């Protein structure tokens, strides 16, 4: 599973991740407040220009992310026209385009390692509560590692089902899938413990003699 | 400690993996995905806190730009789009589902999980989803514009509820199967 971030280096890739997230938050507040069609239209143009400046791949990727929003915008447009307020529907469509497009631009230009580094930095204070700051990064790695494992396990179960029944399994594979997942969790926990575990080194015991 | 981390991670992986199951079109053309079923299951099996943390992990993956939502969606855009409330609503959905299974110990597991999933995965999740949609829809309107009412927002989202009711039933059945064959695995009642 790959991150949605673009592998190339654009000008926006070089900005620090924390700065981009900060700017995005400010821009979102501004976009929520703009109520004029001209204002939101201008915002959409700015976001489109921004995306275009990142290259052709960025445009394509951004359109892919916006596609699922088409139906909801369409429903709203129809709804608002029935209410006699087409302008409101258009305003909504433009805002969604601008906001989602801008957030996508941040996602496209911030590589995963930079975000993980940001998370680890933000997780440092966890140590004060006796929680290992490694847990967020390990959890992310666990999920990324296990999604393909679960998919393969599901395919195996589905094959076994097909070998025994002409009917479709529907939801009946979920319980065995969950059982296998609970077993995996136990094995993984043992493996983690065997490698030193996630507890913080205790003061007084591990620091003796150092 | 280690077991909690791996359980949370693996249920988050299950929620992500359920997004790869192709969306099932309901009779009237509304697609349903199975990810919210994973959310209900995480609550029913892991209990309130671990279930909510599994969801939080998925939300974090979305925020850092991994394509973990159904249809390969992800990224910060989801959190500001018209459906952001639903994604955020997964958190209380898992928590409440787990809480009900934990608290209603005298009630059969299937029923408790069903009640929890209805309360958390439908009522609370839709309340947040509709509220989020309503906020994005009405943001920045001029005083003379009539804002869309919460009822209208509810009517727009209502076609998805039947699909989620099916997921409630499946959650109850899976929780019952787990309680039957391996009661110790149903950590919400452990």
């Amino acid at each position: 599973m790959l991150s949605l971030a673009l592998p190339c280096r654009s000008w926006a890739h070089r900005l620090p991740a924390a700065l981009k997230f900060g700017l995005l938050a400010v821009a979102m507040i501004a976009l929520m407040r703009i109520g004029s069609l001209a204002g939101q239209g201008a915002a959409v143009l700015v976001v489109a220009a921004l995306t275009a400046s990142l290259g052709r791949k960025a445009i394509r990727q951004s359109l892919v992310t916006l596609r699922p929003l088409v139906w909801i915008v369409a429903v709203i447009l129809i709804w608002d026209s029935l209410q006699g307020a087409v302008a409101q529907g258009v305003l909504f469509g433009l805002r969604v385009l601008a906001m989602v497009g801008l957030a996508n631009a941040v996602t496209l230009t911030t590589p995963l390692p930079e975000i993980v580094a940001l998370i680890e930095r933000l997780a440092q204070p966890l140590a004060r509560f006796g929680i290992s700051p490694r847990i967020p990064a390990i959890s992310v790695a666990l999920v990324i590692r296990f999604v393909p494992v679960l998919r393969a396990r599901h395919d195996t179960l589905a094959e076994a089902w097909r070998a025994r029944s002409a009917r479709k399994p529907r939801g009946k594979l979920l319980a065995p899938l969950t059982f296998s997942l609970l077993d995996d969790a136990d094995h993984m926990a043992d493996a983690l413990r065997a490698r030193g575990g996630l507890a913080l080194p205790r003061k007084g015991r591990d620091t003796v003699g150092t | 400690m280690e077991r909690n981390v791996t359980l949370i991670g693996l249920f988050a992986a299950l929620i992500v993996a359920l997004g790869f199951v192709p969306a099932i079109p309901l009779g009237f053309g509304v697609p349903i995905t199975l990810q919210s079923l994973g959310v209900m299951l995480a609550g029913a099996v892991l209990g309130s806190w671990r279930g909510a943390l599994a969801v939080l992990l998925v939300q974090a993956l979305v925020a850092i730009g991994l394509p973990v939502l159904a249809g390969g969606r992800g990224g910060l855009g989801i959190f500001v789009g018209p459906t952001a409330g639903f994604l955020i609503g997964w958190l209380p959905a898992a928590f409440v589902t787990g809480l009900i299974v934990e608290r209603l110990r005298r009630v059969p597991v299937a029923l408790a999980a069903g009640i929890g999933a209805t309360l958390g995965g439908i009522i609370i999740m839709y309340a947040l989803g509709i509220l989020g949609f309503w906020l994005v829809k009405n943001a920045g309107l001029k005083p003379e514009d009539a804002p869309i009412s919460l009822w209208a927002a509810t009517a727009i989202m209502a076609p998805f509820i039947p699909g989620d009711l099916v997921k409630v039933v499946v959650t109850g059945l899976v929780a019952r199967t787990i309680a039957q064959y391996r009661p110790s695995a149903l950590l919400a009642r452990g």
Side-chain angles (χ1 to χ4, degrees):
Chain A
M1 186 166 48
L2 292 168
S3 160
L4 291 171
L6 294 172
C8 58
R9 304 280 305 168
S10 69
W11 60 271
H13 281 78
R14 286 188 283 274
L15 300 175
L19 175 73
K20 275 182 279 190
F21 282 90
L23 286 176
L24 180 68
V26 175
M28 287 304 149
I29 296 166
L31 283 171
M32 286 296 275
R33 300 186 76 94
I34 297 175
S36 70
L37 282 178
Q40 289 290 353
V44 171
L45 286 179
V46 170
V47 171
L50 190 79
T51 311
S53 79
L54 302 173
R56 199 171 295 165
K57 264 181 125 176
I59 300 172
R60 198 180 321 132
Q61 190 68 51
S62 203
L63 287 177
V64 167
T65 340
L66 288 168
R67 203 170 43 200
L69 293 169
V70 168
W71 77 263
I72 195 165
V73 171
V75 169
I76 295 308
L77 268 174
I78 294 165
W79 179 277
D80 276 335
S81 349
L82 292 177
Q83 311 281 318
V86 188
Q88 272 192 43
V90 177
L91 187 70
F92 170 77
L94 290 174
R95 178 182 295 114
V96 166
L97 268 181
M99 287 175 67
V100 178
L102 190 62
N104 283 340
V106 173
T107 296
L108 289 175
T109 58
T110 314
L112 193 56
E114 269 181 48
I115 301 175
V116 172
L118 187 67
I119 294 175
E120 279 184 341
R121 216 159 57 232
L122 293 174
Q124 282 306 320
L126 284 178
R128 227 179 285 169
F129 303 100
I131 302 168
S132 166
R134 284 162 62 209
I135 288 179
I138 284 184
S139 304
V140 169
L142 256 181
V143 179
I144 294 175
R145 178 69 191 84
F146 263 88
V147 168
V149 172
L150 280 179
R151 290 182 73 183
R153 181 101 19 98
H154 174 269
D155 291 347
T156 312
L157 287 169
E159 218 166 80
W161 177 279
R162 274 199 301 276
R164 287 165 177 78
S165 171
R167 283 179 298 171
K168 284 196 170 167
R170 292 180 186 274
K172 291 202 176 102
L173 300 180
L174 259 173
L177 194 64
T178 311
F179 281 132
S180 82
L181 189 146
L182 291 164
D183 287 341
D184 284 338
D186 284 345
H187 296 155
M188 282 292 300
D190 287 343
L192 275 174
R193 260 195 299 271
R195 285 161 181 77
L198 293 171
L200 285 177
R202 252 182 238 138
K203 276 184 201 133
R205 195 191 62 186
D206 293 339
T207 50
V208 167
T210 56
Chain B
M1 177 57 125
E2 287 81 9
R3 188 148 174 269
N4 282 337
V5 171
T6 55
L7 278 169
I8 289 163
L10 289 189
F11 264 86
L14 178 68
I15 296 173
V16 174
L18 283 173
F20 291 107
V21 180
I24 304 152
L26 276 180
F28 31 95
V30 179
I32 58 166
T33 71
L34 291 182
Q35 284 194 304
S36 50
L37 171 63
V39 171
M40 295 173 186
L41 265 181
V45 177
L46 295 182
S48 52
W49 284 105
R50 279 178 293 217
L53 282 171
V55 169
L56 188 68
L57 183 53
V58 177
Q59 290 172 337
L61 293 173
V62 174
I64 66 176
L66 292 171
V68 292
L69 293 181
R73 291 175 309 137
L76 288 168
I78 310 284
F79 284 96
V80 294
T83 55
F86 287 97
L87 177 60
I88 293 162
W90 280 4
L91 197 65
F95 187 85
V96 170
T97 306
L99 194 69
I100 299 286
V101 177
E102 284 163 9
R103 290 295 153 89
L104 298 183
R105 276 175 189 270
R106 299 226 184 117
V107 177
V109 176
L111 187 62
I115 294 172
T118 309
L119 192 64
I122 294 190
I123 297 174
I124 295 176
M125 190 186 77
Y126 272 86
L128 285 170
I130 289 164
L131 190 70
F133 167 69
W134 181 77
L135 284 173
V136 175
K137 175 72 179 72
N138 287 334
L141 283 189
K142 291 186 280 295
E144 66 266 26
D145 293 325
I148 185 175
S149 69
L150 273 174
W151 289 118
T154 308
I156 290 168
M157 296 303 171
F160 290 97
I161 294 181
D164 283 313
L165 283 170
V166 175
K167 294 176 212 168
V168 165
V169 175
V170 176
T171 302
L173 294 178
V174 173
R176 189 183 63 183
T177 309
I178 293 175
Q180 234 167 20
Y181 292 102
R182 214 195 289 177
S184 66
L186 202 77
L187 296 156
R189 293 220 164 158

